[in-house]
Amino acid sequence: MKLKALLPPGPHGESGWVGRVLTTGVAVAVLATARPAAAWVWVVLLVTFAAFVVGSVLMTARPYVSLALLAPVAVSNALIAGYPQSNALVLVLVAITDIAVIDFGRRGNRPIIAVGIGVAAGYAGSAWWFGQPDTWYFSQLLWTAALTAFGLNRRQYEVQARQTEQLLEQTRLAQSEHARAATLEERGRIARDLHDVLAHSLGALSVQLEVAEALLEERGDTAGALERVRRSRRLAVQGLTEARDAVAALRADEVPELPAALAALAEQHEADHGTAVRLTVTGRQRLESGVTVALLGAAREALTNAAKHAAGQIVDMRLVYEDGVRLSVRTKGVTSGEGFGLAGMRERLALVGGTLTAGADGDDWLVVAEVD
């Protein structure tokens, strides 16, 4: 196993590893000034220092193995801390600090408390064995408590940083999924809008070409057939323009303002079917491109139904801006039913938060599209 694999992968890069290297350096510097008279004290210091180094390296990768190494370091050095000039306190402090930094998961602070009790008992035994005063004992406890608090604070900081990283990763995943869903939704909208536009244009174009064919075959009316072919050309051009408007709306490009687009649609309907369309606009408001295209589609479908099922009847179209926008198309002679493209109109309006109602209103047939 490479040493790199044992380094803490925490949110601070390798700052935890750097801190442990510095801590080890401080321990070495302090132990270098130790002057214990007994050789066995040197043996304890060297062996426990080696255990401390290994335990520090394994803190992240093997927390319980690290605890098994660091706990004896802290307790054994607490037992000899009262030996004159042993400087064993430094190993107690660095070991207890490392233990406090380790995240023991569900066990929480219980391992730290257990080691702390062992260290306190070790200080008491050392004070009795080597004849240290009570002030010495309480000063050792004070240093140990301070370094333990520092370690716990460091652990809390690292846990919060890891949680922040996890939250950021979850946020990135959620944003990615949201972007993917938005892309799929946009594709669906493009498909529906293009389907509606092309179905309307190609249907009208087919009708005009059939009439032109009938005029040529049955009556030999070249002039009439030519006029139908010209209408077919206008319908094809109009269909291409509407398709571009639909794509432009979905790409958030510029699309015509709704009153102007409705006026052009009414004019085209009058030219193609010889039926008057009365357009009334009340108020004025800038709409989102998607709303504009949806309302245009509803108006186009309503006019197509009027041409098919109420030929020659005047169409009354009203656009009102008041707490949103409301478009109504009224005509006579259309019977009720869901076969007039109403389902597609409702679906398109629902995508922009709108609603559509259709039904008889006295002797008239009324279609109303609203967007708040």
Side-chain angles (χ1 to χ4, degrees):
M1 179 184 295
K2 295 182 179 179
L3 182 61
K4 179 78 171 179
L6 299 176
L7 301 184
H12 324 293
E14 297 181 7
S15 63
W17 171 251
V18 172
R20 288 160 198 166
V21 170
L22 293 176
T23 300
T24 303
V26 170
V28 170
V30 174
L31 291 176
T33 63
R35 296 293 184 270
W40 65 268
V41 176
W42 277 112
V43 173
V44 173
L45 292 176
L46 292 176
V47 171
T48 55
F49 175 76
F52 162 74
V53 172
V54 177
S56 295
V57 171
L58 297 176
M59 282 174 59
T60 302
R62 299 288 187 272
Y64 286 99
V65 174
S66 177
L67 174 65
L69 291 170
L70 294 175
V73 171
V75 175
S76 60
N77 280 277
L79 285 169
I80 65 170
Y83 193 94
Q85 297 185 335
S86 66
N87 290 357
L89 176 63
V90 67
L91 286 176
V92 179
L93 297 180
V94 294
I96 199 72
T97 302
D98 279 359
I99 292 172
V101 171
I102 298 175
D103 183 5
F104 293 105
R106 293 182 179 180
R107 295 184 180 274
N109 294 330
R110 282 179 289 180
I112 302 170
I113 294 172
V115 175
I117 293 173
V119 167
Y123 285 146
S126 184
W128 173 78
W129 190 6
F130 299 110
Q132 297 290 349
D134 291 344
T135 54
W136 176 90
Y137 174 72
F138 288 111
S139 67
Q140 309 305 294
L141 291 180
L142 181 61
W143 276 106
T144 303
L147 269 294
T148 302
F150 173 81
L152 290 172
N153 182 69
R154 175 66 183 182
R155 184 183 68 179
Q156 183 64 25
Y157 174 72
E158 291 187 356
V159 168
Q160 289 178 349
R162 283 196 298 272
Q163 291 174 344
T164 301
E165 273 197 349
Q166 293 171 357
L167 180 60
L168 288 175
E169 181 62 25
Q170 292 174 355
T171 302
R172 283 193 291 267
L173 290 175
Q175 289 174 342
S176 176
E177 288 299 316
H178 179 73
R180 181 174 176 273
T183 300
L184 293 176
E185 181 182 359
E186 182 179 9
R187 289 176 181 174
R189 289 176 59 192
I190 291 174
R192 283 188 292 268
D193 282 343
L194 290 181
H195 171 270
D196 292 345
V197 169
L198 294 178
H200 169 267
S201 300
L202 293 177
L205 183 60
S206 175
V207 170
Q208 295 297 327
L209 291 176
E210 287 178 2
V211 172
E213 183 180 7
L215 288 173
L216 287 174
E217 289 184 352
E218 299 175 6
R219 301 182 184 180
D221 186 355
T222 306
L226 181 59
E227 176 59 27
R228 296 293 178 173
V229 171
R230 287 171 178 165
R231 287 187 182 182
S232 300
R233 180 180 180 277
R234 290 197 298 270
L235 286 171
V237 172
Q238 180 185 359
L240 289 173
T241 301
E242 292 168 356
R244 282 195 295 267
D245 287 345
V247 174
L250 292 168
R251 294 172 54 196
D253 294 338
E254 286 294 326
V255 296
E257 291 190 8
L258 185 56
L262 289 176
L265 190 62
E267 183 180 352
Q268 186 66 44
H269 183 84
E270 291 179 350
D272 290 340
H273 303 285
T275 302
V277 178
R278 295 182 300 208
L279 173 63
T280 303
V281 179
T282 303
R284 196 163 189 84
Q285 181 180 340
R286 182 68 177 176
L287 301 176
E288 294 181 359
S289 57
V291 175
T292 299
V293 171
L295 291 173
L296 268 177
R300 188 180 301 112
E301 189 67 31
L303 289 175
T304 299
N305 290 336
K308 288 181 180 179
H309 305 285
Q313 297 291 335
I314 295 176
V315 180
D316 183 25
M317 189 158 50
R318 297 177 181 272
L319 178 65
V320 179
Y321 295 97
E322 184 177 351
D323 297 329
V325 59
R326 183 177 188 269
L327 173 66
S328 62
V329 181
R330 180 188 298 270
T331 189
K332 296 181 182 296
V334 179
T335 58
S336 62
E338 289 291 329
F340 302 137
L342 298 181
M345 295 160 64
R346 288 193 179 97
E347 183 180 359
R348 174 180 292 189
L349 283 163
L351 292 173
V352 293
T355 59
L356 181 136
T357 57
D361 185 23
D363 295 333
D364 299 338
W365 178 256
L366 179 62
V367 177
V368 178
E370 295 180 286
V371 179
D372 294 331

